[in-house]
Amino acid sequence: MKLSVIITTYNSEEWLRKVLLGFTVQTEKDFEVVIADDGSTSKTADIIASFQGQFQYPIVHVWHEDKGFRKSRILNKAILKSNSNYLLFTDGDCIPRQDYVAVHVKQKQEGYFLSGGYFKLPMSISKAISDEDIVSQKCFKISWLLQQGLKANFKVSKLTHNRFIAAFMNWLTPTKRSWNGHNSSGFKQDILDVNGFNEEMDYGGMDRELGERMFNNGMLSKQIRYSAICLHLDHARGYANEEKIRHNMEIRRYNKKHHVIRIENGIDKLKI
């Protein structure tokens, strides 16, 4: 298969269902879906079961017990369960445009990882998006979003369908080409070479930390935030903790100063 899509989730069945529906209408079909489930209830398993058979390959559901925010660990487990040598990472609250997977497949390149972004929606529009809006791709049209009450600003330019404008905006944007958990991809071996995600880290920068160690290992990145489009559905972040975020920043500063490539508390220990 051309790639594995790894989707993180935690007790967000309504949003996950919309996201999975978005992946059923992709123009590129040769991919598998791997759900990295950080301890959800059986309701999430039911949603996943309802989509089995709608993809070219069976959905892989990787779950562990709910012991607090352990996104890094479940991602490492999902990486090991994936069946492709190229991995696309996103979240269970990001609806992909129909060319989302195709863009990642087309843009992948040895020695690089791809750095995408998202278009954030308010809660009212997040809830208003129907199955038909996703299947028809209406929800990605600026005119439709404005009709739903979206306030017009420069950020709507992210939703351009013109590939030449998108390529120009990718080149122009000042946003760093970082590893973003909601929209990034890379070769599995490049991720294994840095020992995967750092399980010492909680919420706040853990995805970027992976990318920073990949940079330390000689990797480069390509900006595709205006080409690989996904809509970010609104939600609360009750797991955010300022003390843990500061701890994460200390890890990142240390890694940058000391040019750290492989961390100890990573994917290797899961292989035993």
Side-chain angles (χ1 to χ4, degrees), residues 9 11-14 16-17 20 35 37 40-54 59 61 63:
T9 192
N11 286 335
S12 186
E13 306 86 26
E14 182 183 359
L16 180 62
R17 195 184 65 78
L20 287 174
I35 305 295
D37 185 350
S40 301
T41 68
S42 59
K43 292 180 180 179
T44 291
D46 292 342
I47 292 294
I48 294 169
S50 72
F51 278 90
Q52 287 289 10
Q54 297 192 46
I59 300 174
H61 184 194
W63 178 93

Side-chain angles (χ1 to χ4, degrees), residues 33-246:
V33 171
V34 181
I35 305 295
D37 185 350
D38 194 14
S40 301
T41 68
S42 59
K43 292 180 180 179
T44 291
D46 292 342
I47 292 294
I48 294 169
S50 72
F51 278 90
Q52 287 289 10
Q54 297 192 46
F55 297 99
Q56 186 167 331
Y57 304 97
I59 300 174
V60 180
H61 184 194
V62 185
W63 178 93
H64 63 194
E65 187 180 353
D66 185 0
K67 293 183 178 180
F69 187 93
R70 294 193 294 160
K71 182 179 176 182
S72 291
R73 169 163 280 225
I74 199 62
L75 279 170
N76 283 338
K77 290 181 177 180
I79 290 168
L80 293 178
K81 290 291 187 181
S82 64
N83 296 292
S84 173
N85 67 359
Y86 195 78
L87 309 179
L88 165 55
F89 293 79
T90 187
D91 288 332
D93 52 20
C94 292
I95 303 175
R97 197 169 68 185
Q98 63 183 4
D99 60 346
Y100 182 76
V101 172
V103 168
H104 278 271
V105 170
K106 182 178 180 180
Q107 294 290 337
K108 70 177 183 177
Q109 182 178 348
E110 294 280 356
Y112 289 80
F113 68 78
L114 304 182
S115 174
Y118 59 59
F119 186 82
K120 193 171 184 177
L121 298 178
M123 182 62 78
S124 58
I125 301 179
S126 299
K127 287 187 170 294
I129 294 176
S130 68
D131 290 2
E132 191 277 331
D133 296 328
I134 297 170
V135 172
S136 68
Q137 297 289 284
K138 191 185 301 182
C139 59
F140 291 94
K141 294 182 178 179
I142 296 173
S143 58
W144 184 87
L145 291 168
L146 293 175
Q147 289 172 7
Q148 305 306 309
L150 183 72
K151 294 180 180 179
N153 56 47
F154 176 75
K155 290 183 179 180
V156 299
S157 61
K158 284 184 182 179
L159 300 177
T160 179
H161 283 264
N162 186 304
R163 61 189 178 93
F164 299 106
I165 294 176
F168 175 72
M169 293 302 293
N170 287 334
W171 172 80
L172 182 68
T173 179
T175 305
K176 290 183 179 180
R177 292 170 294 189
S178 56
W179 185 281
N180 305 311
H182 49 265
N183 189 353
S184 287
S185 65
F187 287 91
K188 183 191 290 188
Q189 190 57 54
D190 292 330
I191 298 168
L192 295 177
D193 285 345
V194 299
N195 206 15
F197 289 88
N198 191 339
E199 296 185 17
E200 290 185 28
M201 299 184 71
D202 207 292
Y203 173 78
M206 48 152 292
D207 300 297
R208 292 195 174 195
E209 190 266 353
L210 171 72
E212 288 159 0
R213 285 186 285 112
M214 293 172 77
F215 285 139
N216 289 345
N217 201 31
M219 296 286 298
L220 300 172
S221 64
K222 291 169 66 174
Q223 182 69 269
I224 59 166
R225 64 189 291 106
Y226 286 88
S227 302
I229 304 301
C230 59
L231 299 176
H232 184 272
L233 304 171
D234 196 19
H235 61 87
R237 288 178 173 81
Y239 43 75
N241 180 294
E242 288 300 323
E243 182 179 344
K244 291 180 179 178
I245 291 173
R246 286 194 296 269

